[in-house]
C-alpha cells in the first residue's frame, strides 16, 4: 500500500490511498433542503428519524435528513438502494475526470465533492450544503474515515454523524448494516432489485465456500503496491477478507507492523511469502499490474508468473449489487488456480 500516508494515521494507515466557517448558519439550517440532491425516495417519508450506528451512538432528528454528505463509497452503497446524497468526500473523480472505482454508479456530476483525496475536506463548501447528516466508515473505533484529524472537531460539529464499521466486522454484517441505514433513510431494500442482488450474493458466497473446500491448498496473498514498498495485509483486519476466511479461503498471514494491519516489504523482499493467487489493491492511488512490471521482483512471484493475479476491491461498496461480483471473481480465481507456490 502507498507509503505516502501521514504518520498520525495509526490504524488509518491501512487504507489512506496515495491518496469552521459557517458553523452557526449550518446548524440553524438543520432540516432545510432544496430540490437538488437529497435522499431520493426518502423524500416521500416524513416524521422523526432515528438510527443507532456502530459506535453505539443513537442519532435522532426531527425529520428525515435530506441534506446528506457521505464518504464516497458509502454514498455509492446508499445510491444502490435509491438514497441520494448532496455531497461526498473521498476518492470520487480521477485525474482524467472519470468516476473513481470507489464511486460505483454514482453520477459524480450531481454531487458536490468537498474532498477528493486523503486530507482534503473543504469545510466552507461542506457548511454551504447545510448538512443534516454526515455518514462515513470506521476502520478504528470512533474514527470517521476520510475526515482529516486536524479539522475533525470543526467538521463533526456541523451536523450529526453516523459511522459504520469497515473493520472488526465481516462483509455480510457490513452489508446488513448499510441496508438497515438505507432503509431508515427511505431506501428500497425489499424490492425485486435488492432481492435479486442479495440472492446473487448468497449464491456467490456458496460458490466461494465450495471453491475453497475443493482446493484447500490454494493460498492467497492480499497485496498492495507503492513505489517503494509492497504491503501484505492481515486478512482478519478487513471486513471482506475476514468474511472470505469464514468461508474457508486460505490466506498468507504476514507479520504486521505495530498498527496490526499489514507488513511492509521492500521490493527486494517482495517474494518473502509464497502465494498461489495475489489479490491486488485496485484503488487508483496504488500501483496496478501494468506499472508493477517495472519491478523485477514482481515478475518473479509465482502467482504473477502463473497469471494468477486479480484485483482486490479493497474498500467495497457495501450493497449486495456491488459485493456479489467480488465473491464471484474470487471463487473463479480459486476454481481455475494451479498450485504454484
Amino acid at each position: 500500500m502507498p507509503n505516502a500516508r501521514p504518520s498520525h494515521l495509526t490504524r488509518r494507515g491501512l487504507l489512506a490511498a496515495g491518496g469552521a466557517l459557517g458553523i452557526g448558519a449550518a446548524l440553524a439550517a438543520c432540516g432545510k433542503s432544496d430540490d437538488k440532491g437529497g435522499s431520493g425516495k426518502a423524500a416521500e417519508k416524513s416524521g422523526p428519524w432515528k438510527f443507532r450506528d456502530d459506535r453505539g451512538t443513537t442519532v435522532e432528528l426531527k425529520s428525515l435528513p435530506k441534506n446528506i454528505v457521505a464518504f464516497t463509497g458509502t454514498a455509492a452503497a446508499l445510491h444502490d438502494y435509491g438514497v441520494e446524497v448532496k455531497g461526498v468526500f473521498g476518492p470520487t473523480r480521477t485525474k482524467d475526470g472519470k468516476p473513481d472505482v470507489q464511486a460505483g454508479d454514482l453520477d459524480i456530476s450531481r454531487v458536490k465533492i468537498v474532498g477528493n483525496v486523503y486530507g482534503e475536506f473543504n469545510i466552507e463548501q461542506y457548511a454551504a450544503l447545510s448538512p443534516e447528516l454526515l455518514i462515513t466508515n470506521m476502520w478504528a473505533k470512533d474514527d470517521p474515515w476520510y475526515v482529516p484529524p486536524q479539522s475533525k472537531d470543526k467538521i463533526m460539529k456541523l451536523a450529526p454523524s453516523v459511522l459504520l464499521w469497515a473493520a472488526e466486522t465481516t462483509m455480510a454484517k457490513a452489508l446488513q448494516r448499510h441496508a438497515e441505514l438505507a432503509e431508515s433513510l427511505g431506501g428500497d431494500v425489499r424490492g425485486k432489485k435488492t432481492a435479486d442482488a442479495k440472492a446473487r450474493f448468497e449464491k456467490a458466497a456458496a460458490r466461494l465456500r465450495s471453491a475453497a473446500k475443493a482446493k484447500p491448498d490454494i493460498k492467497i496473498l492480499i497485496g498492495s503496491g507503492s513505489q517503494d514498498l509492497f504491503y501484505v495485509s492481515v486478512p482478519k483486519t478487513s471486513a471482506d477478507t475476514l468474511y472470505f476466511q469464514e468461508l474457508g479461503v486460505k490466506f498468507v498471514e504476514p507479520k504486521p507492523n505495530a498498527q496490526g494491519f499489514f507488513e511492509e516489504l521492500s521490493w527486494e523482499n517482495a517474494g518473502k511469502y509464497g502465494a498461489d493467487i495475489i489479490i491486488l489493491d485496485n484503488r487508483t492511488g496504488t500501483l496496478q499490474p501494468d506499472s508493477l512490471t517495472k519491478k523485477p521482483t514482481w515478475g518473479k512471484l509465482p502467482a504473477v508468473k502463473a497469471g494468477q493475479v486479480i484485483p482486490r476491491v479493497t474498500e467495497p461498496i457495501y450493497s449486495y449489487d456491488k459485493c456479489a461480483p467480488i465473491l464471484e471473481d474470487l471463487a473463479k480465481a480459486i476454481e481455475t488456480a494451479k498450485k504454484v507456490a
Side-chain angles (χ1 to χ4, degrees), residues 39-314:
S39 298
K41 293 184 179 181
E44 301 172 7
K45 299 182 67 176
S46 61
W49 180 81
K50 181 178 180 179
F51 187 81
R52 183 177 175 85
D53 75 358
D54 288 350
R55 294 170 296 186
T57 298
T58 298
V59 181
E60 297 186 63
L61 300 175
K62 293 181 179 179
S63 61
L64 191 75
K66 299 182 180 66
N67 294 0
I68 301 171
V69 178
F71 172 66
T72 302
T74 310
L78 293 174
H79 169 83
D80 285 352
Y81 293 115
V83 178
E84 306 299 342
V85 304
K86 292 191 70 174
V88 295
F89 55 95
T92 307
R93 181 184 291 120
T94 60
K95 291 180 180 179
D96 59 4
K98 297 179 180 179
D100 188 274
V101 65
Q102 295 189 58
D105 293 332
L106 279 179
D107 183 347
I108 63 173
S109 69
R110 295 180 61 85
V111 293
K112 181 66 176 178
I113 303 172
V114 301
N116 195 56
V117 298
Y118 187 82
E120 178 183 275
F121 195 114
N122 191 307
I123 300 176
E124 289 78 12
Q125 292 179 355
Y126 175 58
L129 293 173
S130 301
E132 298 171 89
L133 185 66
L134 180 147
I135 306 172
T136 188
N137 293 336
M138 284 191 300
W139 287 84
K141 182 68 173 176
D142 299 327
D143 188 3
W145 184 231
Y146 260 80
V147 174
Q150 64 272 21
S151 52
K152 172 183 171 182
D153 291 345
K154 290 182 179 180
I155 293 168
M156 301 303 281
K157 287 179 181 178
L158 280 165
S161 60
V162 164
L163 274 60
L164 297 180
W165 276 119
E168 301 191 22
T169 187
T170 68
M171 177 179 275
K173 292 177 181 177
L175 282 165
Q176 179 181 344
R177 291 294 285 145
H178 281 73
E180 290 170 355
L181 175 61
E183 184 175 35
S184 78
L185 293 168
D188 181 6
V189 303
R190 303 182 187 278
K192 185 178 186 303
K193 178 182 176 182
T194 300
D196 289 348
K198 187 174 182 180
R200 179 183 175 186
F201 176 84
E202 292 171 347
K203 182 178 179 181
R207 178 183 174 185
L208 181 55
R209 187 189 296 275
S210 296
K213 185 177 181 180
K215 291 192 172 181
D217 293 335
I218 294 296
K219 187 166 284 191
I220 298 174
L221 182 146
I222 308 162
S224 183
S226 73
Q227 191 60 41
D228 299 321
L229 296 171
F230 185 53
Y231 296 82
V232 181
S233 292
V234 177
K236 69 178 181 180
T237 55
S238 298
D240 59 336
T241 48
L242 176 58
Y243 182 58
F244 303 157
Q245 275 192 317
E246 291 183 350
L247 294 175
V249 176
K250 303 296 190 302
F251 287 101
V252 166
E253 296 282 356
K255 297 178 181 178
N257 60 16
Q259 297 175 15
F261 277 93
F262 52 76
E263 179 179 358
E264 303 107 324
L265 300 175
S266 66
W267 279 108
E268 290 77 10
N269 294 313
K272 178 178 178 179
Y273 298 105
D276 305 293
I277 298 172
I278 295 175
I279 56 174
L280 186 70
D281 191 342
N282 75 331
R283 293 171 302 165
T284 53
T286 65
L287 295 184
Q288 299 306 304
D290 55 347
S291 299
L292 289 172
T293 57
K294 300 175 183 178
K295 304 291 184 183
T297 51
W298 170 256
K300 295 178 182 179
L301 299 178
V304 177
K305 290 166 65 175
Q308 296 178 173
V309 178
I310 66 169
R312 179 200 175 196
V313 182
T314 304

